[in-house]
Amino acid sequence: MSHYRRPARAALAATLTACLTAGTAMADEMSHGMEHMATDTQPARPIADSIARQEADKEGLRMSLETRELTPGHVTTAWWVIMTNPSACSATPCPADDVIGRAAEVGTQIAFADGAVNAPDGTASFAAYLPAGVVPHG
């Protein structure tokens, strides 16, 4: 019998969104603050002193993410969320209802990026690289 801890459902959107078209990645670098994911009862809200950075070139994507306000000791994961047809989204940036609910139309592909055990103070850091081309296990 295997034993495991089920991670609590985090109210954190710890994903970076990468809009890729056939073999062409976004240029340059972008960064933005993180926010708690909206729920049925609460709107999204910023997480103070958190930052997500993404850099893209023809070789692939690099990301780093530093966040806080997580449950200490729990596991948090970061995921690549790629839309190969972002023009099919109903708004910019592409809303979650399109990314998940209209995955076929938007060309959503999701792949694991990184994971961490949250520190005792509720912080976590992530870093990952995704080479250009076919998304592994997407």
Side-chain angles (χ1 to χ4, degrees):
M1 178 157 129
S2 70
H3 295 277
Y4 63 93
R5 278 183 62 179
R6 229 174 73 186
R9 184 175 169 181
L12 171 71
T15 60
L16 290 178
T17 304
C19 298
L20 301 177
T21 57
T24 307
M26 297 179 303
D28 300 322
E29 179 179 331
M30 64 181 185
S31 63
H32 56 86
M34 299 296 299
E35 61 183 31
H36 284 280
M37 188 170 21
T39 66
D40 291 340
T41 58
Q42 294 184 333
R45 69 174 178 75
I47 300 172
D49 301 321
S50 65
I51 189 81
R53 293 177 196 88
Q54 178 176 296
E55 183 181 344
D57 60 29
K58 66 180 182 176
E59 301 299 319
L61 297 170
R62 285 168 277 312
M63 75 86 165
S64 64
L65 185 146
E66 298 169 19
T67 192
R68 57 187 62 249
E69 298 183 22
L70 302 170
T71 304
H74 284 222
V75 174
T76 302
T77 57
W79 295 81
W80 295 106
V81 179
I82 301 145
M83 285 131 331
T84 57
N85 187 20
S87 62
C89 293
S90 60
T92 300
C94 196
D97 287 346
D98 286 350
V99 173
I100 296 167
R102 298 180 53 242
E105 293 90 345
V106 219
T108 302
Q109 296 181 49
I110 300 174
F112 177 77
D114 197 12
V117 176
N118 305 335
D121 65 355
T123 60
S125 297
F126 306 88
Y129 175 74
L130 182 67
V134 176
V135 176
H137 311 292

